[in-house]
Amino acid sequence: MTTIDAPRTPHTPVTKNRRVNWEKWGWLYMRASGILLVVLIFGHLFVNLFLGTGVKQVDFAFVAGKWASPFWQVWDVLMLWLALIHGGNGMRTIINDYAHGRPRQVMLGLVFAAVAILIVLGTLTLVAFDPCPTGADPSLLPSFCPASSK
Amino acid sequence: MSEVAVVEESAGVPGGPIQAFTVTLIIRRFDPEVDAEPHWQDFDVEMYPTDRVLDALHKIKWEQDGSLTFRRSCAHGICGSDAMRINGRNRLACKTLIKDLDISQPIYVEAIKGLPLEKDLIVDMEPFFESYRAIQPFLIASDKPDKERIQSVAQRAVFDDTTKCILCAACTSSCPVFWTDGQYFGPAAIVNAHRFIFDSRDEGSQVRLDILNDKEGVWRCRTTFNCSEACPRGIEVTKAISEVKAAILRGNPGLPSSDLVLTPVGA
Amino acid sequence: MSSQVARSGAATSTKIRGPKRPAGTLYRGREGMWSWVLHRITGVAIFFFLLVHVLDTALVRLSPEAYNSVINAYKTPLLGLGEIALVAAIGLHALNGLRIILIDFWSVGTRHQRLLFWIVIGLWIVLLAGFVPRQIMHIFFGGA
Amino acid sequence: MEFEDGAIIDGVHYHQFDVVIVGAGGAGMRAAIEAGPKAKTAVITKLYPTRSHTGAAQGGMAAALANVEEDNWEWHTFDTVKGGDYLVDQDAAEILAKEAIDAVLDLENMGLPFNRTPEGKIDQRRFGGHTRDHGKAPVRRACYAADRTGHMILQTLFQNCVRLGVNFFNEYYALDIVMTKVKGKDRPSAIVAYELATGEIHVFQAKAIIFATGGFGKIYKTTSNAHTLTGDGVGIIWRKGLPLEDMEFFQFHPTGLAGLGILLTEGARGEGAILRNASGERFMERYAPTIKDLAPRDIISRCMVMEVAEGRGAGPHKDYVLLDCTHLGAEVLETKLPDITEFARTYLGVDPVTTPVPVMPTAHYAMGGIPTNVKAEVLSDNDTVVPGLYAAGECACVSVHGSNRLGTNSLLDINVFGKRAGNNAADYSMTADFVPVPKNPAGFVLGLVEQLRDSNGTERIAGLRKELQEEMDKNAQVFRTDESLAKVTETIHVLRRRYKNVSIQDKGRRYNTDLLEAIELGFLLDLAEVVVFSARNRKESRGGHMRDDYPTRDDAEYMKHTMAYLTGDPHSADAADHITLGWKPVVITNYQPMERKY
Ligand SMILES: Cc1cc2nc3c(=O)[nH]c(=O)nc-3n(C[C@H](O)[C@H](O)[C@H](O)COP(=O)(O)OP(=O)(O)OC[C@H]3O[C@@H](n4cnc5c(N)ncnc54)[C@H](O)[C@@H]3O)c2cc1C
Ligand code: HEM
Ligand code: SF4
Ligand code: F3S
Ligand code: FES
């Protein structure tokens, strides 16, 4: 509390390289994805937490049941991508605000890695999803599986 | 504190004898020649409700402690010298009346935030002016008219708000983004860019839009509105920033409006 | 133009009270600043939740047992309450996100930002009023 | 002594520039815009440029553009001469009025956002003393940008200085000018400045030096002037034995917020506001039946003081009159006069839309100052030019304002003569060589600073300054008599003695504003003495100088400029022992003095 506010380096002139302007597109993306996410996330929350028995209904069978339908698959893939990139870009903004120099680079790298890995992992999970894995406990499978004991 | 004494002489303001109060100011002091760190110091002063915080600072400097250091000049809010943090908010000391403060509590006064502290209430303004200069704050026009350039009343009106800026830095030093990263151009620079971007006589708008499209430009603004609330000239700073953002998105200055979807442009 | 007067000199509008702590270095922003603080905190919180949530959901690939055992943790009262916090955070972030979008793309948005903030808070309370009782019912009373 | 640009010798910094401009108000920056591109120019300013008091000017800048009604520069000249109660140098007034048109267009071309007419041209409004056809009726001559004309001028000039990359030395206080004897004559060779941030001393050697340090309203208590308007430049010149002209003429602006002195522009009356006494009477109808509330400032101020003196003042103490804007409507007030509307609301809690505003005259403008010719060259007597030394703006006396400046003529003055000063100084610097700087050029300033720092005297600056200002308000304000002036003389004498025993509390080097306030007080005391001494000597009433004991104008005896010289030990007991007064004839071209009636 008692330290002097840290001195600021003066503004460094604009780097004149004409790359794609990520700042502008990032800003727009936050808004566009935000609007879509409202629908996606609230739909998701509504179905999973509000309808039926809420969180208590969620289990493998429930998830598998949902993902059997391409509708929910697309829904969740979209949500995954939009949300992770949205969140990742948001984190980038925040890191840029508070961290400088090397720590900034490291943290940005971590966020980027986390987002990239999770997008890959999540997409694989969703796209190549098998609702009726062979050899699984039949009581856990959704009812439409041939092996289901429900 | 705040004991009330009726004093015969009025503060010079019409309306007869008015009450003087003892007001406590707690000022964040820092003398680079002796202090390692800033510290708070209390002062009690007799004030009239119609006095301003600047009067209180003067009273302290002139009657109690001559070493108290602050900038000031015009004393009525037009030169922009005395932006400081008063009770946690950026204000001009000369425009903050004692009666508008809660004087049952001490008044806290400290330097504006985010610029290097030099002494007591004085900060180094150079980084601030540096950003200002970076946005090319001057009319860029190639024609050489013999008389005045013609500009309609309506064209003049669209950038009126941002011509009022007195470069006091109250906005920039209230911006949370600027506090943490002084590389951000800051609202004052954007306000002054706005003043030219939307001037119908100017030909350099595109250049300025490009500059502000930068990593440290308008996109860093998080619409926290501290700037708009701090501006002693009542400039709608955040609105100006929004209009610049919208102009960058449109790819041309056009008329200042941030309406992209909700109302047709220029309506 | 006549609306300009009321805005001028924020100093005259309301009494400014002193900060509570003598350190006093906390800037006393108003709705705009606090909504941003909340937006930022909720954004970060949701981000970290999302990381975990994608990982736990990915367990469906491993085996139904693995998934179910993790997901059952969500059904404990403690995490049930945590979920309330999550929904509250998402709700606030989402509603305020819409507020920011309105401010950005609607020319009078900036002028009404404070009102919009209180509308956000209002809607958020309505949202929670709808969700919280049901969630409590679900976690403590075993469903519908 | 010899040195390289940028050298530091014994802790003193040395710089070399072709042109050094002291002051970054309207006049200084206008000069810099001319000189900057031609010569290596530095601007030394004790305030950041945009903090200069030009930014406080509200109403407008006069120029006979004839954008809204018939007008020409010759009428403008006449108004200027008549407004100045014929003490104006008419050749200078002609230049002022003629070049006004280009001055305004220059500013517009540089980007100044003037208010516009429906056709998109620069709009113009009425202002006190500006008339059509030699006094027939008020004319719309003042070009304006709401009630922020000065602000816009200052910003526009600063913007153009940024464009040109002008070299500013911000928060450097010029405290001395170095004169070098060359062939028996004193020639200016350098400016010595104190850097506020570090307390270090800088010597700026220059081929040409321009003073543009503004006014010295702080010799009074009730003033529209900034705390920093302490007349440093004028004081520096005075201490070198160069003359000051017409120092007795100080303008009191009629409409200062009562008790505070903050200005409400004459533009308010230009838009139709009316002065009323306690009973609501429009008293100016009695004094100036033709142009009423738009009479020149000296006349209105005097009438206001008379109304109050005769018991017709308003308020609980009957000590002010009222400026009634209520009939103008919220629309006009908020679009054309937004700032002053806010001033009244903020500082008096009075809303001009519904309630008349309490006003009283406030010390506003120094007509006198450093004498120059129309080329802005400083004079060492009635007509000898000091080569390489220039002055422009409020610190100078050309004299285009005579004994009373017309509203809007000062923003004009700073632009016209600021430009001339910049041009002429740059041209001069291209032909001239550096005047060598004597040994230890900073000696005087170093001594001054050390003495104040080390002093353990018992007097406090603020106390002395307050006494001076209150005494000046009481006895050397709108009305003066020999008796009242004698009283101030005595007070000043005592204060000057006590000033030697002054001490400061801040002994540090960095940002020592305590020290600078002490130095500024020294200038104020010197200048107040000259003002009062010159005023006592002028036994007539003319323009801003109103003597109760000599209520009429006396052209036979006093149709001439006062020239004051510092000739003896400045601390001798009697001002007459160290101030010598002389006269300088008024230049008359077309207009013979007439009685001034409105
Ligand atoms: C409230 C108000 C309203 C006015 N309205 C009008 C109007 O409507 N129309 C009109 O024509 N006129 C008006 N005037 C008058 C006019 O504004 C001023 O006379 C004019 O602006 C003076 O300009 P300047 O450049 O000479 O000085 P200033 O603008 O006062 O600048 C002085 C400069 O000198 C510098 N300086 C001073 N001392 C030193 C030093 N020791 N060392 C270094 N630098 C120094 C300062 O930093 C400053 O930059 C008004 C004046 C006031 C006070
Ligand atoms: C539900 C719908 C959502 C909406 C409408 C929304 C909207 C927004 C908007 C408009 C911004 C930009 C704020 C600004 O520029 O100032 C933003 C920032 C952010 N969002 Fe979201 N968002 C949503 C969901 C999410 C989710 C799911 C996450 C997490 C993964 C997230 C994390 C973030 C973060 C970390 C930021 C950066 C905050 C900051 O810079 O202060 N948001 N959001
Ligand atoms: S925009 Fe307002 S707060 Fe910011 S510098 Fe300009 S006048 Fe000051
Ligand atoms: S305070 Fe800063 S975040 Fe934007 S709205 Fe103002 S610039
Ligand atoms: S002193 Fe000029 S703005 Fe406060």
Side-chain angles (χ1 to χ4, degrees):
Chain A
M1 274 306 132
T2 41
T3 47
I4 318 171
D5 299 325
R8 300 294 145 202
T9 39
H11 175 75
T12 36
V14 194
T15 41
K16 274 279 160 229
N17 45 3
R18 302 256 118 249
R19 287 169 298 125
V20 186
N21 193 313
W22 292 109
E23 295 303 324
K24 179 169 98 178
W25 293 110
W27 185 89
L28 264 180
Y29 174 81
M30 292 307 271
R31 277 131 190 91
S33 62
I35 292 174
L36 291 172
L37 281 170
V38 172
V39 179
L40 295 171
I41 292 181
F42 282 100
H44 174 81
L45 291 175
F46 187 72
V47 171
N48 284 21
L49 295 185
F50 195 82
L51 291 183
T53 54
V55 67
K56 292 254 159 108
Q57 69 197 346
V58 179
D59 58 10
F60 181 82
F62 177 83
V63 175
K66 271 180 82 184
W67 287 351
S69 140
F71 176 80
W72 285 112
Q73 264 185 319
V74 172
W75 183 289
D76 282 5
V77 170
L78 257 182
M79 190 163 72
L80 174 80
W81 282 69
L82 288 175
L84 275 173
I85 299 177
H86 177 103
N89 190 43
M91 292 301 289
R92 184 186 66 95
T93 310
I94 297 174
I95 292 165
N96 280 339
D97 277 358
Y98 298 111
H100 305 276
R102 182 114 191 100
R104 179 192 277 189
Q105 297 311 324
V106 170
M107 284 197 263
L108 287 176
L110 285 177
V111 166
F112 182 82
V115 169
I117 292 169
L118 287 183
I119 285 185
V120 172
L121 181 69
T123 312
L124 285 177
T125 307
L126 270 152
V127 175
F129 181 68
D130 178 1
C132 311
T134 43
D137 181 347
S139 68
L140 301 178
L141 296 180
S143 56
F144 54 78
C145 286
S148 172
S149 62
K150 281 192 184 165
Chain B
M1 208 191 319
S2 79
E3 73 203 58
V4 179
V6 182
V7 174
E8 260 312 295
E9 174 204 7
S10 84
V13 175
I18 25 173
Q19 291 180 324
F21 302 83
T22 303
V23 181
T24 304
L25 275 87
I26 305 188
I27 302 177
R28 196 155 180 255
R29 304 286 311 266
F30 174 63
D31 181 349
E33 288 171 85
V34 284
D35 301 335
E37 309 230 301
H39 56 95
W40 292 98
Q41 189 178 354
D42 297 18
F43 296 95
D44 284 343
V45 269
E46 278 276 283
M47 300 267 49
Y48 296 94
T50 47
D51 281 339
R52 299 156 268 175
V53 171
L54 180 62
D55 298 318
L57 295 175
H58 269 149
K59 260 191 136 162
I60 295 169
K61 183 174 183 67
W62 293 343
E63 290 164 18
Q64 300 181 30
D65 183 349
S67 70
L68 180 67
T69 308
F70 48 93
R71 293 192 177 100
R72 56 53 181 143
S73 180
C74 70
H76 65 283
I78 51 90
C79 75
S81 300
D82 57 345
M84 51 187 76
R85 205 138 46 111
I86 299 170
N87 279 353
R89 291 192 175 138
N90 280 4
R91 293 287 182 264
L92 294 180
C94 63
K95 270 189 101 171
T96 307
L97 272 65
I98 300 288
K99 71 176 162 59
D100 293 325
L101 299 167
D102 172 8
I103 49 169
S104 65
Q105 301 286 320
I107 300 171
Y108 288 82
V109 182
E110 59 196 301
I112 49 176
K113 200 169 158 173
L115 291 159
L117 184 60
E118 295 283 346
K119 183 175 177 185
D120 292 351
L121 303 175
I122 293 190
V123 296
D124 180 5
M125 297 292 289
E126 227 11 78
F128 173 81
F129 280 103
E130 182 74 35
S131 299
Y132 168 79
R133 287 191 290 265
I135 53 92
Q136 311 206 0
F138 39 80
L139 191 79
I140 301 176
S142 53
D143 56 328
K144 286 264 167 288
D146 314 328
K147 290 211 77 179
E148 68 260 48
R149 296 192 178 84
I150 298 297
Q151 179 170 57
S152 73
V153 174
Q155 285 171 329
R156 165 69 178 75
V158 296
F159 64 98
D160 184 67
D161 202 34
T162 44
T163 61
K164 298 188 297 199
C165 176
I166 52 175
L167 296 171
C168 66
C171 54
T172 296
S173 62
S174 76
C175 176
V177 180
F178 183 78
W179 298 333
T180 56
D181 188 355
Q183 304 300 312
Y184 171 42
F185 273 93
I190 303 174
V191 159
N192 283 280
H194 179 283
R195 179 247 170 276
F196 287 101
I197 290 170
F198 298 107
D199 188 331
S200 58
R201 302 168 293 173
D202 186 81
E203 295 162 10
S205 308
Q206 209 59 56
V207 183
R208 291 189 203 95
L209 291 179
D210 277 351
I211 296 173
L212 290 176
N213 195 2
D214 181 64
K215 188 150 111 336
E216 313 299 350
V218 285
W219 308 117
R220 289 204 80 166
C221 166
R222 304 254 74 79
T223 54
T224 65
F225 287 92
N226 279 2
C227 52
S228 300
E229 313 216 337
C231 180
R233 302 285 281 174
I235 298 172
E236 290 182 280
V237 182
T238 313
K239 180 160 184 273
I241 298 173
S242 284
E243 289 170 353
V244 173
K245 287 175 183 163
I248 295 177
L249 291 179
R250 275 200 304 273
N252 67 62
L255 280 177
S257 164
S258 55
D259 282 323
L260 285 187
V261 281
L262 296 159
T263 2
V265 174
Chain C
M1 279 239 178
S2 54
S3 62
Q4 282 185 355
V5 223
R7 286 183 283 104
S8 59
T12 52
S13 55
T14 41
K15 297 222 184 254
I16 317 168
R17 296 177 57 93
K20 286 272 175 312
R21 297 172 310 134
T25 43
L26 194 64
Y27 194 85
R28 292 167 57 75
R30 304 188 53 167
E31 289 88 338
M33 177 170 128
W34 295 118
S35 72
W36 161 79
V37 170
L38 291 172
H39 196 83
R40 190 154 263 201
I41 293 172
T42 53
V44 175
I46 304 166
F47 180 74
F48 284 113
F49 167 77
L50 185 60
L51 296 187
V52 175
H53 190 50
V54 173
L55 284 174
D56 67 49
T57 307
L59 288 176
V60 295
R61 289 273 290 167
L62 213 60
S63 73
E65 288 81 1
Y67 180 74
N68 282 359
S69 72
V70 171
I71 219 70
N72 277 335
Y74 281 94
K75 299 170 189 173
T76 61
L78 191 69
L79 282 189
L81 291 177
E83 239 162 5
I84 294 185
L86 176 72
V87 170
I90 296 182
L92 196 63
H93 186 93
L95 289 168
N96 191 55
L98 295 175
R99 166 178 163 274
I100 295 172
I101 294 170
L102 274 181
I103 289 169
D104 286 331
F105 294 124
W106 181 33
S107 55
V108 293
T110 48
R111 214 167 278 174
H112 300 306
Q113 57 101 1
R114 227 176 271 162
L115 175 66
L116 284 173
F117 176 76
W118 292 112
I119 293 177
V120 163
I121 296 295
L123 290 176
W124 182 67
I125 289 171
V126 170
L127 179 89
L128 289 188
F131 173 74
V132 175
R134 204 164 159 99
Q135 170 80 353
I136 289 177
M137 197 172 76
H138 286 148
I139 44 178
F140 291 104
F141 306 102
Chain D
M1 67 182 276
E2 294 281 326
F3 55 82
E4 303 245 304
D5 186 20
I8 306 177
I9 305 167
D10 295 337
V12 176
H13 299 247
Y14 289 84
H15 311 262
Q16 279 182 329
F17 285 93
D18 293 336
V19 178
V20 163
I21 300 171
V22 186
M29 288 202 285
R30 190 67 190 81
I33 286 171
E34 297 303 319
K38 293 193 215 161
K40 190 180 167 206
T41 303
V43 181
I44 301 171
T45 169
K46 73 176 181 182
L47 303 172
Y48 275 90
T50 53
R51 316 273 187 251
S52 303
H53 211 53
T54 294
Q58 302 166 353
M61 167 167 169
L65 297 182
N67 273 359
V68 284
E69 58 185 315
E70 189 189 354
D71 197 5
N72 64 56
W73 66 262
E74 193 267 323
W75 295 350
H76 185 182
T77 311
F78 171 79
D79 291 336
T80 302
V81 171
K82 180 176 170 193
D85 223 347
Y86 295 91
L87 201 73
V88 172
D89 285 336
Q90 298 185 7
D91 54 341
E94 276 168 30
I95 289 173
L96 182 81
K98 232 188 281 186
E99 294 183 6
I101 295 165
D102 274 342
V104 167
L105 295 179
D106 277 356
L107 286 171
E108 198 282 336
N109 289 343
M110 284 186 217
L112 197 144
F114 282 107
N115 276 38
R116 299 288 171 156
T117 65
E119 305 83 59
K121 297 198 272 182
I122 296 170
D123 198 11
Q124 298 185 280
R125 60 157 65 128
R126 294 189 178 132
F127 235 81
H130 290 281
T131 66
R132 65 186 309 276
D133 198 7
H134 312 98
K136 299 254 161 56
V139 72
R140 294 172 63 177
R141 185 178 290 146
C143 309
Y144 68 101
D147 52 358
R148 306 189 249 270
T149 316
H151 164 76
M152 300 296 189
I153 289 179
L154 193 68
Q155 295 288 329
T156 303
L157 293 175
F158 182 60
Q159 289 155 3
N160 281 274
C161 287
V162 169
R163 180 169 65 84
L164 297 170
V166 167
N167 219 329
F168 285 107
F169 290 84
N170 295 326
E171 299 193 328
Y172 279 56
Y173 286 64
L175 297 181
D176 190 24
I177 183 170
V178 182
M179 304 295 267
T180 308
K181 272 245 183 308
V182 178
K183 298 195 193 107
K185 286 222 176 77
D186 277 340
R187 298 269 306 273
S189 53
I191 288 289
V192 186
Y194 176 99
E195 183 183 356
L196 182 65
T198 59
E200 284 169 349
I201 307 292
H202 295 253
V203 173
F204 292 84
Q205 190 184 23
K207 295 175 183 170
I209 295 170
I210 303 175
F211 272 78
T213 53
F216 45 89
K218 276 289 154 184
I219 57 173
Y220 291 97
K221 173 166 169 260
T222 311
T223 172
S224 64
N225 283 200
H227 284 287
T228 46
L229 284 178
T230 48
D232 310 0
V234 184
I236 290 170
I237 292 288
W238 169 250
R239 288 176 183 178
K240 290 290 148 174
L242 290 167
L244 299 180
E245 183 175 345
D246 286 345
M247 292 292 280
E248 63 272 37
F249 296 108
F250 210 96
Q251 179 169 77
F252 296 88
H253 192 294
T255 51
L257 285 184
L260 293 170
I262 295 172
L263 194 79
L264 299 185
T265 175
E266 195 169 306
R269 279 171 287 131
E271 297 293 344
I274 290 168
L275 288 164
R276 300 187 188 280
N277 59 22
S279 59
E281 183 206 3
R282 183 180 194 177
F283 56 86
M284 282 312 297
E285 268 173 344
R286 263 188 281 125
Y287 300 97
T290 325
I291 57 176
K292 304 183 184 95
D293 300 281
L294 284 175
R297 293 174 177 170
D298 54 337
I299 297 182
I300 299 203
S301 288
R302 216 176 290 158
C303 299
M304 287 165 70
V305 174
M306 265 146 77
E307 288 297 300
V308 167
E310 287 162 20
R312 292 190 290 274
H317 303 297
K318 294 176 168 299
D319 56 358
Y320 55 77
V321 301
L322 296 165
L323 181 69
D324 184 359
C325 313
T326 53
H327 55 289
L328 299 182
E331 178 74 20
V332 168
L333 283 171
E334 274 144 29
T335 56
K336 294 201 168 159
L337 304 163
D339 279 6
I340 64 157
T341 306
E342 196 202 311
F343 293 155
R345 283 183 187 140
T346 307
Y347 296 115
L348 286 187
V350 169
D351 187 349
V353 176
T354 53
T355 320
V357 185
V359 290
M360 261 322 255
T362 178
H364 185 55
Y365 184 87
M367 266 77 70
I370 307 166
T372 71
N373 60 19
V374 294
K375 291 158 89 180
E377 295 167 319
V378 171
L379 303 175
S380 59
D381 55 34
N382 284 4
D383 35 40
T384 313
V385 164
V386 183
L389 189 56
Y390 301 79
E394 189 168 338
C395 69
C397 178
V398 188
S399 133
V400 286
H401 306 307
S403 60
N404 171 56
R405 171 177 73 88
L406 281 193
T408 70
N409 264 358
S410 170
L411 289 180
L412 180 54
D413 174 10
I414 61 178
N415 277 287
V416 167
F417 290 99
K419 182 176 178 178
R420 284 177 160 244
N423 262 326
N424 295 338
D427 290 348
Y428 176 86
S429 76
M430 284 184 285
T431 57
D433 282 328
F434 283 109
V435 176
V437 169
K439 249 177 97 144
N440 192 14
F444 169 75
V445 172
L446 285 167
L448 183 74
V449 168
E450 281 323 307
Q451 181 231 318
L452 278 167
R453 255 205 206 107
D454 299 342
S455 155
N456 32 30
T458 50
E459 297 286 354
R460 297 288 299 262
I461 312 154
L464 299 190
R465 185 175 47 209
K466 189 160 173 241
E467 276 185 49
L468 169 74
Q469 293 170 336
E470 285 179 352
E471 184 68 19
M472 289 294 286
D473 259 23
K474 210 158 53 202
N475 286 320
Q477 222 218 19
V478 175
F479 284 102
R480 303 133 179 220
T481 61
D482 191 62
E483 194 190 348
S484 77
L485 292 169
K487 261 201 214 126
V488 209
T489 310
E490 183 49 32
T491 310
I492 294 174
H493 172 64
V494 172
L495 290 175
R496 281 163 62 88
R497 214 175 46 223
R498 288 171 58 192
Y499 177 68
K500 289 199 221 164
N501 187 27
V502 81
S503 76
I504 56 173
Q505 287 177 303
D506 192 341
K507 309 284 187 193
R509 302 198 171 265
R510 311 206 52 207
Y511 289 97
N512 192 339
T513 51
D514 203 18
L515 172 77
L516 286 153
E517 279 191 33
I519 297 177
E520 288 171 339
L521 175 61
F523 289 123
L524 288 178
L525 285 167
D526 283 4
L527 295 182
E529 186 180 47
V530 190
V531 168
V532 172
F533 193 73
S534 306
R536 240 183 133 180
N537 186 53
R538 185 176 283 274
K539 299 185 173 63
E540 65 157 352
S541 289
R542 181 191 296 270
H545 174 68
M546 179 72 196
R547 289 279 299 253
D548 248 359
D549 41 0
Y550 301 94
T552 52
R553 200 172 85 191
D554 180 357
D555 284 345
E557 201 54 40
Y558 293 107
M559 185 63 189
K560 47 197 181 188
H561 300 291
T562 305
M563 296 287 272
Y565 298 80
L566 177 65
T567 44
D569 166 22
H571 294 289
S572 59
D574 190 351
D577 289 342
H578 56 266
I579 302 181
T580 308
L581 294 182
W583 300 107
K584 180 172 165 238
V586 174
V587 181
I588 295 179
T589 55
N590 288 326
Y591 310 105
Q592 287 309 316
M594 295 184 304
E595 198 199 341
R596 200 155 144 256
K597 270 208 308 242
Y598 286 95

